Amino acid sequence: MTLSTGFGSTTALNNRIVVGNSLAVGSMVFWAAGFPAADALLQIWHPATLILLRLITVLCLLYPLWMWMEGRGALRNVAWTRGFIIGFFGFGIGTALLLFAQWYTDPVTVALIATTTPIMATLLEVWQGDRKISVQFLIGLTASVIGGVFAVGDAFTQDTGIGLFMAIFAGAFFAWASDASVKQLPCLSTLGRTTITFTGAVLFAALMFILCWYFGTAALPNAVSIADVSNLAIYAIAAMAISQIMFLGAVSKIGIALTSLHINITPFYVMIFVVLLGGVWNVQVAFGAAMVAVGVGIAQKNGAA
């Protein structure tokens, strides 16, 4: 029996759901680890500097890995221009907006604000005709969003408002770029898609840094400590390279809307990392994150969509 989701038979769909959700969970855990690392680096570096160094670090890993895994021939007959455009306008702008959002708020709050991404992803799939919204999906989506709102509680300030605005649009850019990477670069592996789109993103980051440097707001660091290198490695390699590869893998299995729902549980993961680093456990955030997890389960039950 073929279901209306467009993902194939019941058995194939179940396999896709298991693999897709596993990849999505892993992606979010790695992504969450980057928020505290970024917070430490933002204390000493301007966001434009951090974004550029992050993306350069990522590409220094991805290109050798891509050639090692698939051979140099993988770099031939690649739609470089298309990949650069997706990366420049999608991941480049999205990464910048999200980091500036954290600059105005804090790691847990910006992760909570990022819970708006599934809304953007769902609207994108509906607009493209890839998904029909069912009542069950709407219930799950609503529960996950309410959980995110509850978790942030009374933490809203003027800076949080600015961060909210930036993070919402960051989610929209991420959703579009992730979906476009899978659909417009079908002949590439997940690793290949990640590499060429992040190359486009680094072009945006370089342009932004040059403009900030010209106006005297950003500069390259004069000295880098071991702690800085460690935090950059976590923020770039774990929270961006590994996380994005797993995220795009999940998108190819269960779609951008369902994959993005996992972003709503990220505040819980972020809070765990914050506590491990000496922070305080927030019961309200934990309850909100639990509600988000329930919403994710409802939205995906029996391929709801």
Side-chain angles (χ1 to χ4, degrees), residues 114-163:
T115 59
T116 59
T117 300
I119 298 176
M120 302 298 178
T122 303
L123 292 175
L124 176 64
E125 285 196 341
V126 172
W127 179 67
Q128 293 177 337
D130 297 331
R131 177 174 299 279
K132 293 181 180 180
I133 300 181
S134 68
V135 174
Q136 188 170 332
F137 184 86
L138 285 175
I139 292 174
L141 179 60
T142 301
S144 64
V145 172
I146 291 175
V149 172
F150 178 84
V152 77
D154 56 359
F156 281 103
T157 63
Q158 182 178 355
D159 283 347
T160 305
I162 296 174

Side-chain angles (χ1 to χ4, degrees), residues 41 44-45 49-50 53 57 219-233:
L41 293 172
I44 56 175
W45 295 345
T49 302
L50 179 52
L53 293 179
T57 301
L220 292 174
N222 294 321
V224 179
S225 67
I226 296 178
D228 297 337
V229 173
S230 299
N231 284 322
L232 183 60

Side-chain angles (χ1 to χ4, degrees), residues 13-66:
L13 175 61
N14 288 337
N15 290 335
R16 281 179 174 272
I17 288 177
V18 171
V19 175
N21 280 291
S22 297
L23 288 170
V25 169
S27 173
M28 294 302 102
V29 171
F30 280 112
W31 189 46
F35 283 94
D39 195 52
L41 293 172
L42 284 173
Q43 305 301 317
I44 56 175
W45 295 345
H46 187 275
T49 302
L50 179 52
I51 292 169
L52 180 61
L53 293 179
R54 181 193 197 192
L55 285 165
I56 289 175
T57 301
V58 168
L59 291 180
C60 286
L61 169 70
L62 290 182
Y63 271 103
L65 181 62
W66 188 17

Side-chain angles (χ1 to χ4, degrees), residues 53-126:
L53 293 179
R54 181 193 197 192
L55 285 165
I56 289 175
T57 301
V58 168
L59 291 180
C60 286
L61 169 70
L62 290 182
Y63 271 103
L65 181 62
W66 188 17
M67 288 186 286
W68 178 67
M69 293 285 290
E70 302 180 28
R72 293 185 179 181
L75 277 67
R76 304 192 189 100
N77 300 319
V78 173
W80 291 101
T81 302
R82 187 179 306 166
F84 287 175
I85 291 173
I86 293 172
F88 187 94
F89 291 104
F91 297 126
I93 297 177
T95 298
L97 287 173
L98 194 64
L99 187 59
F100 272 98
Q102 182 169 341
W103 199 35
Y104 278 101
T105 57
D106 60 76
V108 176
T109 299
V110 78
L112 286 166
I113 296 172
T115 59
T116 59
T117 300
I119 298 176
M120 302 298 178
T122 303
L123 292 175
L124 176 64
E125 285 196 341
V126 172

Side-chain angles (χ1 to χ4, degrees), residues 200-244:
V202 81
L203 295 176
F204 175 85
L207 177 61
M208 182 176 65
F209 174 80
I210 291 172
L211 289 174
C212 291
W213 172 80
Y214 178 79
F215 289 105
T217 58
L220 292 174
N222 294 321
V224 179
S225 67
I226 296 178
D228 297 337
V229 173
S230 299
N231 284 322
L232 183 60
I234 294 172
Y235 188 48
I237 297 174
M240 192 169 207
I242 298 176
S243 174
Q244 182 65 9

